[in-house]
Amino acid sequence: MTVQPHLVERAGVTVVLGDAPAPPDELLAGLPGEPGFRPVVVAVHPGPSAEELARLLHGRVDGTRLILSYAAVNGIARTLADRLRVPVVAPTGAALMLPERLFVQHGEWVRFRPGAEPVGEGARFPAPRWQAALRHGPALTPIPAGLWLGPSGEAVPGDVLTLPVLDERVTVVVGPVPPPEARAALRTLPWPLRHEMLLEPYGTDPGTVKDIGRRITEGFLPTRTVTRPVPGAAPVAGPAADKALWRPAGAWRRTPS
């Protein structure tokens, strides 16, 4: 029997529940707060329509961060903002919940206000101090901690997605790519970031990565480009992964409703 979407309060967070599993309470309790906004986590498969969400949330929020993948590009967030007459922040890509952090894969958070143009706010919330300066391209894939530099066409490993985010410096995880390609990609980053970044080898020789760091900083302040191996070698899976990362059940692109 199909379970109709309904609201529950768990760990101080509003969760829209249905047939899909809800995120663990540990992640819900650690969601970052923001004045005037209430996080709403959607754990429904398939994802609810804008009309269903508007009915469920009517009169319950003064502003919300909607944790529902692609809600900023399929009309749901815009419809909610206009119908509820409240600001709504939603992701343009696949949303990930991590301990004390929210991240959008292949996209960013966008703020909608009734009758106003949407405003992009970056992929990470809360935003680390380096987020605005970060650049990425074909060889550099955004991850919560910073950037993944890996073989072309390969997915980002699960344990790379769960690395801790450092507010004071960007982390670049270097996978098994030829050193000349790695150096060329890293030289596209702004100069201040190159001097402050943390390079983490993943499936590649730490000595090689250290040499890459020395070369891209041109010998200046080499100790500030630190190398550290990623702990663990297997993608995150099983019960431990459930507490480290959660993807909303609606992690697909829906057409506007």
Side-chain angles (χ1 to χ4, degrees):
M1 183 176 66
T2 301
V3 178
Q4 293 300 313
H6 59 284
L7 294 184
V8 298
E9 298 295 322
R10 290 180 52 183
V13 176
T14 299
V15 182
V16 182
L17 283 179
D19 291 330
D25 286 347
E26 292 93 331
L27 283 181
L28 291 174
L31 279 178
E34 51 191 315
F37 280 75
R38 186 167 185 80
V40 174
V41 179
V42 179
V44 178
H45 181 82
S49 67
E51 288 78 8
E52 289 176 301
L53 283 175
R55 176 180 57 81
L56 289 169
L57 297 175
H58 180 73
R60 292 177 175 267
V61 294
D62 296 321
T64 182
R65 184 172 294 269
L66 185 63
I67 304 172
L68 172 64
S69 295
Y70 302 107
V73 294
N74 58 17
I76 288 180
R78 165 54 71 197
T79 299
L80 279 181
D82 290 343
R83 292 194 181 180
L84 300 180
R85 308 304 297 171
V86 300
V88 175
V89 182
T92 62
L96 300 182
M97 284 176 57
L98 301 131
E100 301 180 351
R101 188 81 54 170
L102 293 167
F103 177 70
V104 183
Q105 278 189 298
H106 313 299
E108 66 174 336
W109 295 100
V110 175
R111 186 174 299 260
F112 295 83
R113 294 186 181 277
E117 289 296 313
V119 178
E121 298 187 344
R124 301 159 193 84
F125 178 78
R129 68 178 181 87
W130 42 262
Q131 176 160 280
L134 195 62
R135 301 290 182 270
H136 60 86
L140 294 167
T141 302
I143 59 174
L147 294 166
W148 159 251
L149 174 53
S152 177
E154 289 192 11
V156 179
D159 43 353
V160 170
L161 289 173
T162 58
L163 286 173
V165 179
L166 306 178
D167 185 67
E168 69 278 7
R169 65 170 68 194
V170 63
T171 299
V172 180
V173 183
V174 182
V177 296
E181 292 182 18
R183 292 195 298 269
L186 293 173
R187 284 195 175 108
T188 66
L189 297 176
W191 180 254
L193 287 185
R194 278 191 265 162
H195 275 299
E196 297 288 342
M197 68 183 173
L198 174 66
L199 291 179
E200 301 220 24
Y202 187 93
T204 191
D205 177 58
T208 299
V209 174
K210 187 173 183 178
D211 182 66
I212 290 170
R214 180 183 60 80
R215 293 193 183 205
I216 64 168
T217 57
E218 300 176 15
F220 293 100
L221 301 174
T223 58
R224 305 195 71 176
T225 297
V226 182
T227 60
R228 181 183 68 182
V230 175
V236 175
D242 294 339
K243 296 182 180 180
L245 181 150
W246 185 81
R247 301 170 187 265
W252 57 85
R253 190 184 302 271
R254 289 171 56 93
T255 56
S257 56

